[in-house]
């Protein structure tokens, strides 16, 4: 079964946004667990796709302290999930501020990863 490219590219985002919507509208345990499973599926697809498109390999990375693969790849998505849970269950000014900070940090991390994992368009690189 083939999915059209525009839908295929947005599938992780569709899964994660559907799970956050389900988290806010579900009031029972089954709905919240379904939201968690859908969020995990979206995160897993996003990480697998990102690793497939990675331009730099582990051999070219800087030597030093390295986080385990699971923690490194999934912590921005965990920040999104924690922010959604904070806003859903503890709707107070301090938790909303913490959620905004978590979302901004996660977005910055994902943006930096995206810049390093896609081919950049090179202008004025015409070979004679």
């Amino acid at each position: 079964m083939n999915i059209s490219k525009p839908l295929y590219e947005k599938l992780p985002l569709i899964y994660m946004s559907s799970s956050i919507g389900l988290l806010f509208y579900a009031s029972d345990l089954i709905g919240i667990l379904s939201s968690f499973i859908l969020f995990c599926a979206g995160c897993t697809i996003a990480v697998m796709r990102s690793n497939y498109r990675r331009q730099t390999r582990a051999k070219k990375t800087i030597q030093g302290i390295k986080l385990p693969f699971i923690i490194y790849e999934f912590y921005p998505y965990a920040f999104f999930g924690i922010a959604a849970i904070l806003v859903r269950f503890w709707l107070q000014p301090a938790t909303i501020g913490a959620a905004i900070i978590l979302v901004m940090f996660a977005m910055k991390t994902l943006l930096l990863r995206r810049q390093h994992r896609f081919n950049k368009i090179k202008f004025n690189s015409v070979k004679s």
Side-chain angles (χ1 to χ4, degrees):
M1 181 173 118
N2 290 333
I3 301 173
S4 65
K5 186 166 178 137
L7 180 63
Y8 173 77
E9 290 297 325
K10 292 181 178 40
L11 198 59
L13 182 62
I14 291 169
Y15 281 176
M16 287 185 268
S17 59
S18 299
S19 73
I20 297 218
L22 184 60
L23 176 70
F24 281 97
Y25 289 112
S27 60
D28 58 343
L29 184 61
I30 299 295
I32 293 172
L33 287 176
S34 299
S35 170
F36 177 74
I37 291 170
L38 195 59
F39 189 79
C40 289
C43 294
T44 303
I45 291 171
V47 166
M48 288 171 53
R49 197 174 291 167
S50 177
N51 284 335
Y52 178 75
R53 294 175 177 171
R54 181 177 288 175
Q55 296 295 317
T56 58
R57 296 291 167 215
K59 295 176 186 176
K60 296 181 182 179
T61 58
I62 299 170
Q63 297 297 323
I65 299 173
K66 294 182 182 178
L67 291 173
F69 173 78
I70 297 287
I71 294 172
Y72 174 76
E73 291 294 339
F74 288 97
Y75 81 83
Y77 302 109
F79 287 165
F80 279 124
I82 291 168
I85 289 170
L86 284 175
V87 171
R88 167 65 168 95
F89 293 109
W90 296 284
L91 193 58
Q92 298 173 359
T95 56
I96 291 173
I100 290 171
I101 291 170
L102 286 172
V103 167
M104 287 175 35
F105 184 73
M107 288 176 62
K108 180 193 93 136
T109 303
L110 290 175
L111 181 65
L112 288 174
R113 286 183 187 179
R114 182 179 171 97
Q115 288 176 349
H116 293 288
R117 294 186 185 186
F118 283 95
N119 288 329
K120 297 177 182 168
I121 298 172
K122 295 180 181 176
F123 295 103
N124 299 327
S125 62
V126 178
K127 294 183 180 179
S128 304

